[in-house]
Structures are given as C-alpha cells and as structure tokens.
Amino acid sequence: DAGVIQSPRHEVTEMGQEVTLRCKLISGHNSLFWYRQTMMRGLELLIYFNNNVPIDDSGMPEDRFSAKMPNASFSTLKIQPSEPRDSAVYFCASSFRGFNSPLHFGNGTRLTVT
Amino acid sequence: GIQVEQSPPDLILQEGANSTLRCNFSDSVNNLQWFHQNPWGQLINLFYIPSGTKQNGRLSATTVATERYSLLYISSSQTTDSGVYFCAVGAYGGSQGNLIFGKGTKLSVKP
C-alpha cells in the first residue's frame, strides 16, 4: 500500500524562480495537509483541504504561496517568486477522515533557494 | 492559542533501556498524535490517542485529557528508535485542521 508520495525530494533554485511541489494522497484519504518544517519555527501548517476544498489557509505565509487540489488524489504547492527565506522542508500529509484521524506524512521536499 | 510542551528535550539511552516521554498541553484537546521523525527526516505516525491507552509492540501511549498530558513509553529501546519524537494536539475551538506540534524530544539510543 503506497504512502503519501511527494516530488521532488530535493529542489535547489535561485531567488525569483517559480517552484512547484507535488503530492499524491493515500488512496481513500479525503484530507490533505501541507506543512513546512524549519529549525526556527518547527512544523507549521500551511493549508488544509477536505474533499478537495481548502478549509484553512491561514498558515500560508503570503500571496507568493498558492496550493491547489485539481483532483481528489493530487495536490500542488507553488511558490512564485521564491525567496531564500522559503528554504525549508515541505511535507504533505493525508488522512482518511479529516482532522480527527491519523495523519500520514510523505517523505518531504527539501527546498533550497539561493 | 494552545501551548504544547515536551520533556525532556534531549535523551540519551543505552540499547535495551526503557524511557518515558511527556507531552503537556495548556487547553482541552480533541486530537492528540505522536510522531517519530527518524534521522532521515521521515515522519511516522505512532499513535492517534486523544484519550486512553494504546500499545503497539514496544511502544505504548497514554493520554489523560482531563489532566492535560500524554506519555509515550518506549521499552527495550533499539538504535532504530533514535530520532525526534513529536507530540501534536488539536484544540476544541481551534483552527480546524491545525495540529499544533511541540518542539520534540530528541532521542539517541547508543549500542
């Protein structure tokens, strides 16, 4: 049974470039979460979708960040334009019953913006 | 917002030893989960335990919601248990979908 699949595993880009991170949910899961992990701030929720609908995007840092779920099993997180302070590990997670069920994380994308 | 405190921040054990990790939280919760982040950065869900006790092999967890704490027990520790253990909580009335993560307990198990 495949877990949450994220791509790419590593991304190095220059300031000002567009970055797109991808996530495939576990089959049968209906909730999708994007988290960011940094040494300074730990794990922070960026946005939460339930049944493809964004429920809480209060953690999205600013307008440079956008997230979509074009279908029930796939999501993208886009940063445009990227800045060095966006460097972090970005995790996608899914659950089968929204907020109150176990969260399963992908392996993360390590983003470095130079 | 709800505060989550984990203790100890760092723990070094000899292989075979037992340990207890603690998570205190400042408000009522309707969601509590324990995660293990291994040295390769993978986050693994250990328990979904808003209340009560659960066991999975050498690991067990207990949440006493009325007293606002949860404990993670690791018995007969192995080197593969090394990594950071996170407690994450969701509060009643909190932002929907937002699990608040503690700073973690970094565990090192020596052979």
Side-chain angles (χ1 to χ4, degrees):
Chain A
D1 186 19
V4 175
I5 299 172
Q6 290 188 245
S7 63
R9 287 299 314 274
H10 302 274
E11 177 79 37
V12 180
T13 191
E14 292 184 347
M15 184 174 63
Q17 296 299 305
E18 177 179 297
V19 174
T20 300
L21 311 181
R22 296 173 175 80
C23 174
K24 185 176 187 300
L25 283 69
I26 293 173
S27 177
H29 284 196
N30 67 353
S31 298
L32 180 282
F33 305 77
W34 281 102
Y35 279 86
R36 178 170 68 176
Q37 186 177 34
T38 61
M39 289 293 292
M40 290 294 293
R41 300 173 69 88
L43 276 156
E44 305 173 282
L45 178 70
L46 299 177
I47 188 168
Y48 157 50
F49 290 86
N50 193 41
N51 292 322
N52 301 8
V53 176
I55 303 299
D56 182 359
D57 65 354
S58 58
M60 295 287 264
E62 49 198 270
D63 292 345
R64 298 184 298 106
F65 285 69
S66 63
K68 294 182 180 179
M69 278 199 77
N71 58 55
S73 60
F74 183 74
S75 177
T76 59
L77 178 68
K78 186 175 292 186
I79 309 172
Q80 166 64 17
S82 58
E83 297 183 1
R85 61 191 166 124
D86 302 330
S87 297
V89 180
Y90 291 79
F91 287 100
C92 171
S94 72
S95 70
F96 66 87
R97 199 179 58 228
F99 178 55
N100 289 316
S101 59
L103 217 58
H104 297 276
F105 282 84
N107 287 337
T109 294
R110 181 174 295 277
L111 173 64
T112 303
V113 183
T114 59
Chain B
I2 192 168
Q3 303 297 314
V4 182
E5 291 187 4
Q6 292 187 242
S7 59
D10 295 280
L11 185 59
I12 300 174
L13 298 175
Q14 279 302 125
E15 199 168 27
N18 302 328
S19 63
T20 301
L21 282 57
R22 188 176 180 100
C23 172
N24 290 335
F25 40 93
S26 60
D27 206 344
S28 299
V29 300
N30 59 2
N31 189 338
L32 190 143
Q33 303 189 38
W34 283 97
F35 297 88
H36 174 217
Q37 187 164 36
N38 64 26
W40 296 270
Q42 294 174 310
L43 273 162
I44 309 298
N45 191 301
L46 300 175
F47 294 103
Y48 170 79
I49 188 167
S51 63
T53 297
K54 290 186 178 180
Q55 179 155 8
N56 184 2
R58 296 181 296 102
L59 303 182
S60 64
T62 294
T63 296
V64 184
T66 54
E67 297 187 20
R68 299 181 184 172
Y69 73 89
S70 182
L71 302 174
L72 178 68
Y73 305 95
I74 305 173
S75 64
S76 304
S77 58
Q78 301 175 357
T79 56
T80 51
D81 295 332
S82 296
V84 182
Y85 289 81
F86 290 102
C87 167
V89 305
Y92 286 103
S95 177
Q96 189 177 8
N98 199 355
L99 278 179
I100 306 298
F101 280 75
K103 295 185 187 302
T105 291
K106 184 175 181 180
L107 174 65
S108 298
V109 181
K110 305 297 185 186

mmCIF file of all heavy atoms in Angstrom, chain A residues 10-21 36 38 64-65 78-90 109-114:
data_model
loop_
_atom_site.group_PDB
_atom_site.id
_atom_site.type_symbol
_atom_site.label_atom_id
_atom_site.label_comp_id
_atom_site.label_asym_id
_atom_site.label_seq_id
_atom_site.Cartn_x
_atom_site.Cartn_y
_atom_site.Cartn_z
ATOM 1 N N HIS A 10 14.317 16.740 -3.481
ATOM 2 C CA HIS A 10 15.170 17.913 -3.260
ATOM 3 C C HIS A 10 14.955 18.893 -4.413
ATOM 4 O O HIS A 10 14.763 18.481 -5.563
ATOM 5 C CB HIS A 10 16.655 17.527 -3.214
ATOM 6 C CG HIS A 10 16.990 16.518 -2.173
ATOM 7 N ND1 HIS A 10 17.279 16.850 -0.866
ATOM 8 C CD2 HIS A 10 17.074 15.172 -2.239
ATOM 9 C CE1 HIS A 10 17.517 15.753 -0.175
ATOM 10 N NE2 HIS A 10 17.401 14.721 -0.967
ATOM 11 N N GLU A 11 14.978 20.177 -4.065
ATOM 12 C CA GLU A 11 14.835 21.209 -5.081
ATOM 13 C C GLU A 11 15.770 22.351 -4.713
ATOM 14 O O GLU A 11 15.687 22.878 -3.601
ATOM 15 C CB GLU A 11 13.388 21.709 -5.143
ATOM 16 C CG GLU A 11 13.134 22.834 -6.131
ATOM 17 C CD GLU A 11 13.009 22.352 -7.558
ATOM 18 O OE1 GLU A 11 12.435 21.277 -7.783
ATOM 19 O OE2 GLU A 11 13.478 23.074 -8.457
ATOM 20 N N VAL A 12 16.651 22.703 -5.633
ATOM 21 C CA VAL A 12 17.528 23.855 -5.437
ATOM 22 C C VAL A 12 17.211 24.838 -6.550
ATOM 23 O O VAL A 12 17.224 24.477 -7.734
ATOM 24 C CB VAL A 12 19.023 23.457 -5.487
ATOM 25 C CG1 VAL A 12 19.887 24.686 -5.266
ATOM 26 C CG2 VAL A 12 19.326 22.403 -4.432
ATOM 27 N N THR A 13 16.930 26.072 -6.184
ATOM 28 C CA THR A 13 16.550 27.059 -7.175
ATOM 29 C C THR A 13 17.099 28.420 -6.791
ATOM 30 O O THR A 13 17.518 28.636 -5.653
ATOM 31 C CB THR A 13 15.020 27.125 -7.318
ATOM 32 O OG1 THR A 13 14.670 27.902 -8.455
ATOM 33 C CG2 THR A 13 14.386 27.737 -6.073
ATOM 34 N N GLU A 14 17.076 29.309 -7.726
ATOM 35 C CA GLU A 14 17.551 30.656 -7.456
ATOM 36 C C GLU A 14 16.394 31.563 -7.081
ATOM 37 O O GLU A 14 15.254 31.371 -7.538
ATOM 38 C CB GLU A 14 18.268 31.214 -8.691
ATOM 39 C CG GLU A 14 19.583 30.514 -8.998
ATOM 40 C CD GLU A 14 20.315 31.147 -10.161
ATOM 41 O OE1 GLU A 14 19.696 31.969 -10.883
ATOM 42 O OE2 GLU A 14 21.499 30.816 -10.378
ATOM 43 N N MET A 15 16.709 32.530 -6.280
ATOM 44 C CA MET A 15 15.715 33.516 -5.858
ATOM 45 C C MET A 15 14.984 34.076 -7.082
ATOM 46 O O MET A 15 15.610 34.395 -8.096
ATOM 47 C CB MET A 15 16.411 34.644 -5.104
ATOM 48 C CG MET A 15 15.494 35.686 -4.542
ATOM 49 S SD MET A 15 16.383 36.871 -3.515
ATOM 50 C CE MET A 15 17.470 37.604 -4.698
ATOM 51 N N GLY A 16 13.659 34.188 -6.945
ATOM 52 C CA GLY A 16 12.863 34.738 -8.028
ATOM 53 C C GLY A 16 12.237 33.708 -8.945
ATOM 54 O O GLY A 16 11.304 34.015 -9.682
ATOM 55 N N GLN A 17 12.736 32.466 -8.868
ATOM 56 C CA GLN A 17 12.179 31.404 -9.715
ATOM 57 C C GLN A 17 10.904 30.838 -9.109
ATOM 58 O O GLN A 17 10.665 30.909 -7.903
ATOM 59 C CB GLN A 17 13.203 30.281 -9.896
ATOM 60 C CG GLN A 17 14.459 30.712 -10.622
ATOM 61 C CD GLN A 17 14.165 31.204 -12.022
ATOM 62 O OE1 GLN A 17 13.558 30.503 -12.819
ATOM 63 N NE2 GLN A 17 14.596 32.432 -12.308
ATOM 64 N N GLU A 18 10.109 30.244 -9.985
ATOM 65 C CA GLU A 18 8.885 29.566 -9.538
ATOM 66 C C GLU A 18 9.226 28.142 -9.116
ATOM 67 O O GLU A 18 10.011 27.465 -9.776
ATOM 68 C CB GLU A 18 7.861 29.533 -10.663
ATOM 69 C CG GLU A 18 6.576 28.781 -10.320
ATOM 70 C CD GLU A 18 5.576 28.805 -11.470
ATOM 71 O OE1 GLU A 18 5.115 29.894 -11.829
ATOM 72 O OE2 GLU A 18 5.277 27.723 -11.997
ATOM 73 N N VAL A 19 8.618 27.708 -8.018
ATOM 74 C CA VAL A 19 8.835 26.354 -7.506
ATOM 75 C C VAL A 19 7.486 25.670 -7.379
ATOM 76 O O VAL A 19 6.532 26.267 -6.862
ATOM 77 C CB VAL A 19 9.510 26.389 -6.121
ATOM 78 C CG1 VAL A 19 9.609 24.984 -5.532
ATOM 79 C CG2 VAL A 19 10.886 27.030 -6.213
ATOM 80 N N THR A 20 7.380 24.446 -7.840
ATOM 81 C CA THR A 20 6.150 23.666 -7.684
ATOM 82 C C THR A 20 6.460 22.349 -7.008
ATOM 83 O O THR A 20 7.280 21.565 -7.490
ATOM 84 C CB THR A 20 5.479 23.398 -9.047
ATOM 85 O OG1 THR A 20 5.155 24.641 -9.665
ATOM 86 C CG2 THR A 20 4.200 22.592 -8.846
ATOM 87 N N LEU A 21 5.803 22.122 -5.884
ATOM 88 C CA LEU A 21 5.938 20.876 -5.141
ATOM 89 C C LEU A 21 4.672 20.054 -5.357
ATOM 90 O O LEU A 21 3.570 20.609 -5.420
ATOM 91 C CB LEU A 21 6.135 21.164 -3.651
ATOM 92 C CG LEU A 21 7.209 22.214 -3.303
ATOM 93 C CD1 LEU A 21 7.313 22.377 -1.799
ATOM 94 C CD2 LEU A 21 8.539 21.849 -3.908
ATOM 95 N N ARG A 36 5.258 22.959 6.707
ATOM 96 C CA ARG A 36 6.629 23.397 6.466
ATOM 97 C C ARG A 36 7.414 23.208 7.765
ATOM 98 O O ARG A 36 6.912 23.520 8.846
ATOM 99 C CB ARG A 36 6.643 24.866 6.046
ATOM 100 C CG ARG A 36 8.018 25.442 5.819
ATOM 101 C CD ARG A 36 7.938 26.814 5.173
ATOM 102 N NE ARG A 36 7.385 27.819 6.053
ATOM 103 C CZ ARG A 36 7.294 29.104 5.712
ATOM 104 N NH1 ARG A 36 7.719 29.507 4.510
ATOM 105 N NH2 ARG A 36 6.776 29.980 6.555
ATOM 106 N N THR A 38 11.063 24.092 9.684
ATOM 107 C CA THR A 38 12.334 24.797 9.771
ATOM 108 C C THR A 38 12.889 24.645 11.173
ATOM 109 O O THR A 38 12.144 24.318 12.117
ATOM 110 C CB THR A 38 12.188 26.304 9.460
ATOM 111 O OG1 THR A 38 11.285 26.873 10.431
ATOM 112 C CG2 THR A 38 11.634 26.544 8.074
ATOM 113 N N ARG A 64 2.657 34.905 -2.285
ATOM 114 C CA ARG A 64 3.595 34.183 -3.151
ATOM 115 C C ARG A 64 3.328 32.670 -3.115
ATOM 116 O O ARG A 64 3.777 31.937 -3.977
ATOM 117 C CB ARG A 64 5.040 34.450 -2.732
ATOM 118 C CG ARG A 64 5.461 35.899 -2.837
ATOM 119 C CD ARG A 64 6.933 36.076 -2.492
ATOM 120 N NE ARG A 64 7.240 35.683 -1.126
ATOM 121 C CZ ARG A 64 7.887 34.570 -0.780
ATOM 122 N NH1 ARG A 64 8.302 33.725 -1.717
ATOM 123 N NH2 ARG A 64 8.139 34.309 0.496
ATOM 124 N N PHE A 65 2.609 32.231 -2.092
ATOM 125 C CA PHE A 65 2.305 30.815 -1.920
ATOM 126 C C PHE A 65 0.876 30.531 -2.378
ATOM 127 O O PHE A 65 -0.051 31.266 -2.044
ATOM 128 C CB PHE A 65 2.421 30.415 -0.444
ATOM 129 C CG PHE A 65 3.833 30.296 0.056
ATOM 130 C CD1 PHE A 65 4.635 31.417 0.196
ATOM 131 C CD2 PHE A 65 4.345 29.055 0.406
ATOM 132 C CE1 PHE A 65 5.939 31.307 0.661
ATOM 133 C CE2 PHE A 65 5.649 28.934 0.882
ATOM 134 C CZ PHE A 65 6.444 30.060 1.004
ATOM 135 N N LYS A 78 2.703 25.868 -4.827
ATOM 136 C CA LYS A 78 3.523 26.675 -5.713
ATOM 137 C C LYS A 78 4.032 27.907 -4.980
ATOM 138 O O LYS A 78 3.290 28.542 -4.207
ATOM 139 C CB LYS A 78 2.715 27.096 -6.943
ATOM 140 C CG LYS A 78 3.499 27.817 -8.016
ATOM 141 C CD LYS A 78 2.638 28.090 -9.241
ATOM 142 C CE LYS A 78 2.268 26.810 -9.950
ATOM 143 N NZ LYS A 78 1.549 27.083 -11.231
ATOM 144 N N ILE A 79 5.277 28.235 -5.197
ATOM 145 C CA ILE A 79 5.873 29.451 -4.642
ATOM 146 C C ILE A 79 6.386 30.276 -5.819
ATOM 147 O O ILE A 79 7.211 29.821 -6.603
ATOM 148 C CB ILE A 79 7.038 29.150 -3.678
ATOM 149 C CG1 ILE A 79 6.623 28.130 -2.616
ATOM 150 C CG2 ILE A 79 7.515 30.433 -3.009
ATOM 151 C CD1 ILE A 79 7.771 27.641 -1.739
ATOM 152 N N GLN A 80 5.865 31.471 -5.954
ATOM 153 C CA GLN A 80 6.241 32.335 -7.069
ATOM 154 C C GLN A 80 6.118 33.799 -6.670
ATOM 155 O O GLN A 80 5.005 34.248 -6.390
ATOM 156 C CB GLN A 80 5.361 32.027 -8.288
ATOM 157 C CG GLN A 80 5.402 33.062 -9.415
ATOM 158 C CD GLN A 80 6.757 33.197 -10.080
ATOM 159 O OE1 GLN A 80 7.613 32.320 -9.949
ATOM 160 N NE2 GLN A 80 6.977 34.292 -10.777
ATOM 161 N N PRO A 81 7.212 34.554 -6.638
ATOM 162 C CA PRO A 81 8.597 34.133 -6.810
ATOM 163 C C PRO A 81 9.179 33.597 -5.510
ATOM 164 O O PRO A 81 8.759 33.989 -4.421
ATOM 165 C CB PRO A 81 9.291 35.450 -7.189
ATOM 166 C CG PRO A 81 8.502 36.497 -6.452
ATOM 167 C CD PRO A 81 7.078 36.000 -6.416
ATOM 168 N N SER A 82 10.124 32.703 -5.597
ATOM 169 C CA SER A 82 10.734 32.131 -4.402
ATOM 170 C C SER A 82 11.772 33.094 -3.815
ATOM 171 O O SER A 82 12.368 33.918 -4.538
ATOM 172 C CB SER A 82 11.383 30.784 -4.726
ATOM 173 O OG SER A 82 12.348 30.934 -5.740
ATOM 174 N N GLU A 83 11.965 32.979 -2.488
ATOM 175 C CA GLU A 83 12.929 33.796 -1.761
ATOM 176 C C GLU A 83 13.763 32.884 -0.870
ATOM 177 O O GLU A 83 13.298 31.797 -0.482
ATOM 178 C CB GLU A 83 12.215 34.860 -0.926
ATOM 179 C CG GLU A 83 11.426 35.859 -1.744
ATOM 180 C CD GLU A 83 10.781 36.943 -0.892
ATOM 181 O OE1 GLU A 83 10.976 36.925 0.348
ATOM 182 O OE2 GLU A 83 10.085 37.795 -1.474
ATOM 183 N N PRO A 84 14.992 33.309 -0.509
ATOM 184 C CA PRO A 84 15.841 32.467 0.345
ATOM 185 C C PRO A 84 15.159 32.044 1.645
ATOM 186 O O PRO A 84 15.382 30.933 2.139
ATOM 187 C CB PRO A 84 17.065 33.363 0.593
ATOM 188 C CG PRO A 84 17.152 34.203 -0.638
ATOM 189 C CD PRO A 84 15.713 34.494 -1.030
ATOM 190 N N ARG A 85 14.307 32.906 2.212
ATOM 191 C CA ARG A 85 13.636 32.562 3.486
ATOM 192 C C ARG A 85 12.586 31.466 3.311
ATOM 193 O O ARG A 85 12.034 30.985 4.310
ATOM 194 C CB ARG A 85 12.986 33.791 4.105
ATOM 195 C CG ARG A 85 11.911 34.442 3.248
ATOM 196 C CD ARG A 85 11.534 35.804 3.828
ATOM 197 N NE ARG A 85 10.757 36.600 2.898
ATOM 198 C CZ ARG A 85 9.562 37.091 3.185
ATOM 199 N NH1 ARG A 85 9.012 36.859 4.363
ATOM 200 N NH2 ARG A 85 8.895 37.817 2.315
ATOM 201 N N ASP A 86 12.310 31.069 2.079
ATOM 202 C CA ASP A 86 11.390 29.954 1.846
ATOM 203 C C ASP A 86 12.095 28.608 1.980
ATOM 204 O O ASP A 86 11.439 27.559 1.945
ATOM 205 C CB ASP A 86 10.771 30.045 0.443
ATOM 206 C CG ASP A 86 10.021 31.336 0.211
ATOM 207 O OD1 ASP A 86 9.485 31.893 1.202
ATOM 208 O OD2 ASP A 86 9.982 31.803 -0.938
ATOM 209 N N SER A 87 13.406 28.630 2.132
ATOM 210 C CA SER A 87 14.165 27.380 2.273
ATOM 211 C C SER A 87 13.682 26.625 3.511
ATOM 212 O O SER A 87 13.635 27.184 4.603
ATOM 213 C CB SER A 87 15.661 27.673 2.376
ATOM 214 O OG SER A 87 16.134 28.286 1.199
ATOM 215 N N ALA A 88 13.305 25.375 3.308
ATOM 216 C CA ALA A 88 12.720 24.568 4.387
ATOM 217 C C ALA A 88 12.449 23.173 3.834
ATOM 218 O O ALA A 88 12.660 22.916 2.646
ATOM 219 C CB ALA A 88 11.405 25.188 4.869
ATOM 220 N N VAL A 89 11.953 22.304 4.698
ATOM 221 C CA VAL A 89 11.416 21.024 4.235
ATOM 222 C C VAL A 89 9.901 21.144 4.218
ATOM 223 O O VAL A 89 9.297 21.514 5.232
ATOM 224 C CB VAL A 89 11.859 19.849 5.122
ATOM 225 C CG1 VAL A 89 11.274 18.540 4.580
ATOM 226 C CG2 VAL A 89 13.374 19.769 5.199
ATOM 227 N N TYR A 90 9.309 20.851 3.082
ATOM 228 C CA TYR A 90 7.863 20.937 2.922
ATOM 229 C C TYR A 90 7.290 19.525 2.916
ATOM 230 O O TYR A 90 7.680 18.682 2.118
ATOM 231 C CB TYR A 90 7.504 21.664 1.628
ATOM 232 C CG TYR A 90 7.845 23.130 1.684
ATOM 233 C CD1 TYR A 90 9.153 23.576 1.492
ATOM 234 C CD2 TYR A 90 6.864 24.083 1.982
ATOM 235 C CE1 TYR A 90 9.476 24.922 1.584
ATOM 236 C CE2 TYR A 90 7.179 25.432 2.069
ATOM 237 C CZ TYR A 90 8.488 25.837 1.869
ATOM 238 O OH TYR A 90 8.801 27.172 1.964
ATOM 239 N N THR A 109 9.849 17.438 0.786
ATOM 240 C CA THR A 109 10.689 18.039 -0.252
ATOM 241 C C THR A 109 11.584 19.059 0.427
ATOM 242 O O THR A 109 11.095 19.985 1.077
ATOM 243 C CB THR A 109 9.851 18.748 -1.326
ATOM 244 O OG1 THR A 109 9.070 17.797 -2.047
ATOM 245 C CG2 THR A 109 10.749 19.507 -2.296
ATOM 246 N N ARG A 110 12.902 18.862 0.291
ATOM 247 C CA ARG A 110 13.842 19.836 0.861
ATOM 248 C C ARG A 110 14.095 20.903 -0.182
ATOM 249 O O ARG A 110 14.677 20.631 -1.226
ATOM 250 C CB ARG A 110 15.149 19.157 1.270
ATOM 251 C CG ARG A 110 16.152 20.130 1.893
ATOM 252 C CD ARG A 110 17.384 19.421 2.424
ATOM 253 N NE ARG A 110 17.071 18.540 3.520
ATOM 254 C CZ ARG A 110 16.946 18.925 4.790
ATOM 255 N NH1 ARG A 110 17.118 20.200 5.112
ATOM 256 N NH2 ARG A 110 16.687 18.049 5.733
ATOM 257 N N LEU A 111 13.637 22.118 0.117
ATOM 258 C CA LEU A 111 13.770 23.241 -0.813
ATOM 259 C C LEU A 111 14.889 24.165 -0.354
ATOM 260 O O LEU A 111 14.913 24.589 0.801
ATOM 261 C CB LEU A 111 12.452 24.028 -0.888
ATOM 262 C CG LEU A 111 12.497 25.331 -1.701
ATOM 263 C CD1 LEU A 111 12.779 25.050 -3.164
ATOM 264 C CD2 LEU A 111 11.205 26.112 -1.532
ATOM 265 N N THR A 112 15.790 24.466 -1.268
ATOM 266 C CA THR A 112 16.852 25.439 -1.013
ATOM 267 C C THR A 112 16.761 26.527 -2.059
ATOM 268 O O THR A 112 16.812 26.240 -3.264
ATOM 269 C CB THR A 112 18.246 24.777 -1.078
ATOM 270 O OG1 THR A 112 18.300 23.697 -0.140
ATOM 271 C CG2 THR A 112 19.332 25.793 -0.750
ATOM 272 N N VAL A 113 16.595 27.753 -1.598
ATOM 273 C CA VAL A 113 16.523 28.906 -2.504
ATOM 274 C C VAL A 113 17.770 29.752 -2.286
ATOM 275 O O VAL A 113 18.007 30.228 -1.175
ATOM 276 C CB VAL A 113 15.255 29.742 -2.261
ATOM 277 C CG1 VAL A 113 15.175 30.882 -3.280
ATOM 278 C CG2 VAL A 113 14.006 28.876 -2.334
ATOM 279 N N THR A 114 18.570 29.912 -3.317
ATOM 280 C CA THR A 114 19.840 30.642 -3.173
ATOM 281 C C THR A 114 19.726 32.065 -3.729
ATOM 282 O O THR A 114 18.754 32.384 -4.432
ATOM 283 C CB THR A 114 20.964 29.921 -3.923
ATOM 284 O OG1 THR A 114 20.597 29.829 -5.314
ATOM 285 C CG2 THR A 114 21.150 28.499 -3.388
#
